[in-house]
Amino acid sequence: MSSKHNTIAIIIGLFIFANLILLNFYTDVWWDAAVYAGMGKYILSMGNAGLWESSRPLAWPIILGFIWKLKLDVVFFGKILSLLSSAGILLLAYLIAKEIFDKRVALLSVFFLALTPTFFFFSKIMLSDIISAFFVLFAVYLLIIKKNLFSGLFFGIAFMTRFLQLIPFAIIIILFLIYNKNDKKLMKNSFSIIAGFFIPVVPYLFLNYFIYGNPLLPFFEQVFLTQNTGWMWLEPWWFYFSGLFRENFLCIFAFFGIYYLFKNKPNYEKSIIFFLFSIPLLVFILIPHKEMRFLIALLPFMYMIASYGIIRFFESNKKLKALSYLLIILFVVNSFAIIYSNEKEEIGKNGDFLVFQDYIKNENVDNIWISNPVYAVYSDKKIDALIYYPTFNRERANFLNSNLLNANTILLDTCDIPCHPGDLECPAGKEKFINNIKNQFKTDYSRKYANCEQFIFTRS
């Protein structure tokens, strides 16, 4: 990287260095990360190892599966790859903002993004949010430099990494048609983007038809899961506004940025930035299940607009320029405080599942049922049933009860299978399920903590 890009190199370098240090102290694996790792093993072993959830897209599991196939530690190197993807997001945000706005906006955007607690924290958690956001930003960059086919291809890969990334692709197609309606090459260029998108998607649809008899089954399952799980993360509509302000109060300058964008009619590229921020935010506000990590893909675009607003505002009010430096210092102090709190909490986790992980990895067991995918993340054994999937209710409990003869080993934490507050029949079904296991299996391990119980059951 040439000397004129030293600042962005320093920001990205410090970002990677700080996260690498913290990564050394991480012991836990998140639920979804364990699912992706397990699915990767399942795919690359042709079903002889790992686990399977049909509602998940396949790109991230396949990537993790290749790491496992190379006989590398899928958790450690998966987190490293996630961190490198985060660094890629910072670089792409810089290149996009520099192309559309200027270098000052680009640097300030990346500075804000790198120090945003949510982005910083999830950069190394190995979930699909980061890797899919990287593919979205790469697709946007390719679109800006007029590589339409490859742009569509990476929008398709982003979609195959996280289904909600269909939103940015739809926005791009609509804007492309609106702004290029008088272009004689419109049909050719739009066809290139759409064709690129379907290159990875069409094989996935055929695979779904071959496996499930329904090419859209994973999408229907996602809708079902949205409606029947995640009630513990239901939040009011203002959740994201308060969360964004808490993490960076300077995001309010996005309103100034929007004003300056529309003061003069925004061109195609600036419209892309605005709508890739605003439309996904609106969608996420309308979805009851809310987590700050869902915003990762739109944060780069929000910070481009906010940075543009800050620079234009203080250029128009030069007497307040000193205030801008004070505000940025306050942002840095606030960010470091939240980052410290987040990292301290994660590092402080004591690995409640180590007994389960060691048991599956080291014992000669088969026909394994588990209530949490984290139990199997370090094992190459095949998991035959996921007690929690797609959701635990009376119907799922009855199904498992009727198939208990198919299990030889059951690893269960009662807090992994909570009953929906509105499902009044579930608690009785759950109790019957656990009692049936206790009556038919030998208890090799049990432990109580808080209101939860952990068990390892084996066939007598």
Side-chain angles (χ1 to χ4, degrees):
M1 192 172 286
S2 63
S3 59
K4 65 180 180 178
H5 298 306
N6 281 345
T7 304
I8 186 63
I10 291 171
I11 293 174
I12 295 176
L14 290 174
F15 175 85
I16 294 175
F17 179 71
N19 277 289
L20 282 175
I21 292 176
L22 291 166
L23 191 56
N24 287 323
F25 300 99
Y26 276 36
T27 57
D28 268 21
V29 182
W30 282 48
W31 183 296
D32 285 4
V35 172
Y36 298 129
M39 289 179 65
K41 295 175 187 178
Y42 192 94
I43 294 168
L44 271 292
S45 69
M46 301 297 292
N48 293 314
L51 55 86
W52 188 252
E53 289 190 12
S54 55
S55 63
R56 307 273 185 171
L58 300 185
W60 188 222
I62 289 173
I63 294 170
L64 294 175
F66 276 111
I67 294 176
W68 172 75
K69 199 68 174 177
L70 293 172
K71 301 188 183 303
L72 299 173
D73 184 335
V74 67
V75 172
F76 176 77
F77 285 97
K79 290 179 178 180
I80 292 295
L81 184 56
S82 180
L83 177 56
L84 293 177
S85 299
S86 302
I89 290 173
L90 295 175
L91 178 60
L92 287 165
Y94 171 78
L95 295 174
I96 292 169
K98 184 172 176 288
E99 189 78 22
I100 295 177
F101 297 99
D102 58 38
K103 185 177 179 180
R104 295 175 303 164
V105 172
L107 286 173
L108 189 57
S109 302
V110 173
F111 178 74
F112 283 150
L113 183 59
L115 284 178
T116 294
T118 291
F119 182 79
F120 187 93
F121 178 78
F122 283 101
S123 64
K124 53 195 176 299
I125 298 298
M126 208 173 82
L127 303 182
S128 63
D129 307 84
I130 288 290
I131 189 73
S132 67
F134 169 78
F135 289 133
V136 167
L137 263 75
F138 194 31
V140 172
Y141 177 70
L142 290 170
L143 184 72
I144 290 171
I145 63 174
K146 304 189 186 311
K147 303 292 184 181
N148 295 328
L149 178 65
F150 288 102
S151 174
L153 173 64
F154 279 95
F155 273 121
I157 296 173
F159 173 66
M160 289 307 307
T161 311
R162 185 169 175 77
F163 291 144
L164 281 172
Q165 301 299 13
L166 179 65
I167 299 170
F169 173 71
I171 292 169
I172 290 297
I173 292 299
I174 293 171
L175 289 176
F176 191 88
L177 295 174
I178 290 174
Y179 275 86
N180 296 280
K181 59 185 177 183
N182 296 321
D183 190 338
K184 294 180 180 179
K185 297 181 179 179
L186 169 64
M187 293 304 297
K188 178 182 177 181
N189 291 336
S190 60
F191 178 78
S192 294
I193 300 173
I194 296 171
F197 176 83
F198 280 107
I199 289 173
V201 174
V202 168
Y204 176 66
L205 297 177
F206 275 109
L207 180 66
N208 289 340
Y209 182 78
F210 177 76
I211 296 175
Y212 311 118
N214 182 352
L216 301 180
L217 182 134
F219 309 113
F220 293 142
E221 287 201 348
Q222 278 286 335
V223 173
F224 172 82
L225 289 170
T226 299
Q227 295 172 343
N228 293 276
T229 64
W231 63 89
M232 60 287 293
W233 289 290
L234 300 185
E235 300 288 349
W237 66 268
W238 62 82
F239 172 81
Y240 290 124
F241 293 106
S242 61
L244 288 170
F245 186 82
R246 173 179 173 267
E247 295 200 351
N248 185 356
F249 57 89
L250 291 175
C251 67
I252 62 173
F253 278 92
F255 291 107
F256 290 93
I258 294 170
Y259 167 76
Y260 291 122
L261 279 178
F262 286 91
K263 186 176 181 181
N264 298 314
K265 187 177 180 181
N267 59 21
Y268 171 53
E269 287 80 9
K270 289 181 179 177
S271 294
I272 287 176
I273 302 303
F274 170 73
F275 285 107
L276 286 180
F277 154 56
S278 59
I279 299 299
L281 178 60
L282 177 61
V283 172
F284 290 135
I285 288 171
L286 295 175
I287 297 175
H289 179 170
K290 295 178 175 64
E291 297 181 59
M292 285 299 294
R293 66 184 175 92
F294 293 169
L295 301 186
I296 285 174
L298 63 85
L299 286 178
F301 306 110
M302 183 194 77
Y303 280 132
M304 290 177 202
I305 296 172
S307 299
Y308 180 62
I310 289 172
I311 290 171
R312 286 290 302 271
F313 176 82
F314 286 104
E315 279 182 346
S316 304
N317 300 273
K318 295 184 184 295
K319 293 181 180 180
L320 298 176
K321 191 172 183 179
L323 176 62
S324 67
Y325 297 118
L326 175 61
L327 292 174
I328 290 175
I329 291 172
L330 290 174
F331 156 70
V332 172
V333 172
N334 181 66
S335 287
F336 271 105
I338 299 175
I339 287 172
Y340 174 79
S341 176
N342 291 345
E343 299 296 334
K344 182 180 179 182
E345 181 180 352
E346 186 67 17
I347 291 171
K349 291 182 178 178
N350 57 9
D352 287 329
F353 311 125
L354 291 177
V355 172
F356 289 159
Q357 291 168 349
D358 290 341
Y359 188 88
I360 292 184
K361 182 178 180 181
N362 299 320
E363 297 295 326
N364 184 23
V365 293
D366 60 4
N367 296 326
I368 305 166
W369 290 16
I370 58 176
S371 65
N372 188 323
V374 178
Y375 302 165
V377 72
Y378 294 109
S379 167
D380 293 343
K381 295 183 175 69
K382 179 184 177 182
I383 304 303
D384 293 274
L386 304 175
I387 296 171
Y388 63 86
Y389 186 81
T391 187
F392 191 84
N393 51 26
R394 184 184 180 187
E395 289 75 19
R396 181 63 178 166
N398 289 339
F399 173 81
L400 294 169
N401 274 325
S402 63
N403 286 274
L404 271 180
L405 290 176
N406 296 325
N408 288 333
T409 307
I410 299 176
L411 286 75
L412 173 66
D413 187 317
T414 56
C415 283
D416 290 336
I417 50 173
C419 290
H420 192 288
D423 187 351
L424 301 180
E425 297 179 332
C426 177
K430 177 178 176 178
E431 183 178 1
K432 179 182 177 182
F433 169 61
I434 295 172
N435 287 334
N436 282 346
I437 298 174
K438 290 179 178 179
N439 291 332
Q440 298 181 40
F441 289 74
K442 179 179 70 175
T443 303
D444 279 358
Y445 171 82
S446 65
R447 168 180 174 252
K448 288 186 177 182
Y449 68 100
N451 296 318
C452 310
E453 290 184 274
Q454 290 183 334
F455 299 100
I456 295 178
F457 297 107
T458 57
R459 180 67 67 180
S460 302

